[in-house]
Amino acid sequence: MADRVGYGVVGAGSIGIRAALMHLSQEDVQDRTYLAAVCDPVPGRAEAAKEKFGVVSAYVGYEDLLADPNVDAVTLCSPIGLHYEQAMMAIEAGKHIHFNKTMTTEEWEATKVIDAAAAKGVKLVASPGMMLHPYNQRLRKGILEGALGKLAWAATGAAGVQGYHINEPIRQGNDVLSNINPAWYFRKPGGGPQYDVTVYCLHNLTGLVGPAKRVTAMSGLVEPFREFRGEQLKCDMDDNTMLLIDFGNAFFAFAYGSVSGHVTRGFFPSIFGTAGQIEGSKLNDVDMRHEGDHQPHVVGVHPTMGENHVFCDMMQLVDWILDDKPTIANAEHARHVIEIIDAGFRAAETGVAQDLKTTFTPLSLDELQGAD
């Protein structure tokens, strides 16, 4: 085992640049990891990324990156619909994987990835690792200690992010690293707000209250076209989805992903029980988000940089590879959230509530003793 993890960045688009290349090129991580390779199918983009961020090697083809012996792990910064196929190829090549959200688009794909990785000895870390935030660990501890009483209902969701992607500064320039087209965000199979942003909300919610049991939903398309720099983008992925989630014991949650509007704060859930509530980062009016809070590794210059939560997840994989330290940003939690989203679309299409078959192990009170 080498003393540093060579990362291969798969896709030099918006997330590849802002989450992987910018962070992993910083001096303070070079003792544990380095940018071994980058690949991108757009002509000239990988080579430009190599020059700008000091990457060792640049490739057009993903297969060439996987064949690079310096690459110990990959971060999949490609469109979500490609993650399953790319993950299976990486596992076959013996490369550890960090997934940008979501890990796959369907539960069966996630299960096949998990099983194949286990058989091959490949480690998987899946964004978004929301329970790495100290405030979430304090909120989870409060729930387990009974601060909310019996849980009754919750709401969570996000909206309006498609417009954000259209207007990201990294898409407004005139070279291959700044003119990145967002068309895939609006297309099947991996586009739409559920996979893009509601995934954060569902990781927060399930991380705090545990796995769900059943889902029903309504879903549809509000905006069939979007405009990007004078180009009309066709949209065929639902952009307005409302989930009703059953956690058992008469505890229900509403989760949304839409083109506009909000009933909750950011990606935070609101959770109500018989003895109290969580709203935003507040537990019964006491803010669990403390000054100076940060996730592991988000120190030095990294808190001032965008997408630092993704960088944190990538470094979780580094810790696991080098120190044999597993992470709570695990594939089983990601698979459960994917199944909630996937089952929601199925419920909306069929009109039939969908029972969930996956689960994961949320943080226990013993694991949260330091969450003060």
Side-chain angles (χ1 to χ4, degrees):
M1 171 61 67
D3 59 355
R4 294 199 300 163
V5 172
Y7 247 121
V9 179
V10 182
S14 176
I15 200 70
I17 292 171
R18 295 181 300 120
L21 293 163
M22 284 185 173
H23 283 277
L24 295 182
S25 61
Q26 297 299 313
E27 184 61 35
D28 63 352
V29 301
Q30 300 309 307
D31 60 327
R32 293 182 65 78
T33 187
Y34 69 101
L35 289 165
V38 58
C39 70
D40 196 288
V42 173
R45 183 173 285 164
E47 192 63 38
K50 172 190 170 183
E51 295 304 315
K52 183 170 183 177
F53 297 104
V55 187
V56 176
S57 299
Y59 304 103
V60 174
Y62 178 52
E63 296 88 347
D64 295 326
L65 181 142
L66 290 180
D68 188 330
N70 290 322
V71 174
D72 304 303
V74 296
T75 175
L76 298 183
C77 304
S78 50
I80 294 166
L82 300 176
H83 285 183
Y84 170 65
E85 180 182 357
Q86 290 180 338
M88 297 301 281
M89 292 171 66
I91 291 166
E92 183 61 30
K95 310 296 186 182
H96 305 294
I97 307 170
H98 163 257
F99 293 88
N100 282 281
K101 47 80 185 170
T102 58
M103 183 169 66
T104 60
T105 59
E106 298 185 57
E107 174 274 324
W108 70 266
E109 295 174 327
T111 295
K112 282 201 166 188
V113 166
I114 289 169
D115 291 346
K120 196 82 171 182
V122 164
K123 296 173 171 59
L124 307 176
V125 171
S127 286
M130 303 308 288
M131 293 308 293
L132 293 167
H133 287 281
Y135 57 80
N136 267 341
Q137 296 189 18
R138 297 182 193 112
L139 292 170
R140 169 72 177 161
K141 185 179 180 185
I143 291 172
L144 292 176
E145 290 176 339
L148 270 61
K150 291 183 178 180
L151 300 179
W153 72 283
T156 193
V161 180
Q162 293 97 319
Y164 161 79
H165 287 309
I166 290 285
N167 295 304
E168 281 183 279
I170 202 168
R171 304 184 189 281
Q172 312 308 319
N174 296 310
D175 61 59
V176 288
L177 295 181
S178 65
N179 65 354
I180 300 159
N181 192 304
W184 78 268
Y185 278 108
F186 311 105
R187 304 303 305 272
K188 294 179 178 180
Q194 290 294 98
Y195 292 117
D196 185 27
V197 285
T198 305
V199 60
Y200 289 101
C201 309
L202 291 171
H203 269 267
N204 276 331
L205 179 62
T206 55
L208 292 175
V209 304
K213 298 183 180 298
R214 193 165 54 124
V215 176
T216 191
M218 292 185 178
S219 187
L221 181 66
V222 174
E223 296 281 1
F225 296 98
R226 295 268 179 172
E227 185 175 310
F228 172 69
R229 300 180 66 168
E231 175 187 355
Q232 192 174 65
L233 304 180
K234 182 181 178 182
C235 310
D236 60 12
M237 186 57 158
D238 287 5
D239 58 13
N240 197 32
T241 303
M242 309 290 150
L243 307 179
L244 187 62
I245 306 169
D246 180 1
F247 285 90
N249 299 315
F251 171 41
F252 309 118
F254 165 63
Y256 61 95
S258 184
V259 293
S260 64
H262 60 90
V263 296
T264 49
R265 302 177 190 176
F267 296 154
F268 289 104
S270 296
I271 306 172
F272 303 96
T274 57
Q277 69 281 328
I278 288 170
E279 294 183 87
S281 58
K282 290 186 177 181
L283 171 62
N284 294 334
D285 296 325
V286 178
D287 200 339
M288 295 291 107
R289 196 170 194 168
H290 300 169
E291 186 176 353
D293 267 356
H294 62 81
Q295 302 132 283
H297 298 289
V298 184
V299 295
V301 70
H302 299 282
T304 69
M305 299 170 63
E307 304 294 337
N308 54 56
H309 60 289
V310 179
F311 160 71
C312 176
D313 296 340
M314 286 190 287
M315 293 303 293
Q316 295 290 303
L317 182 57
V318 171
D319 288 348
W320 196 357
I321 294 168
L322 295 182
D323 305 330
D324 197 27
K325 180 183 175 185
T327 177
I328 59 178
N330 59 62
E332 289 75 19
H333 190 182
R335 173 177 61 180
H336 185 66
V337 169
I338 289 164
E339 189 185 16
I340 292 172
I341 296 171
D342 180 21
F345 287 129
R346 217 164 40 245
E349 184 178 353
T350 64
V352 177
Q354 304 290 307
D355 291 328
L356 302 176
K357 58 187 179 183
T358 67
T359 189
F360 71 99
T361 303
L363 292 173
S364 68
L365 202 51
D366 286 343
E367 293 173 293
L368 293 165
Q369 288 312 305
D372 297 315

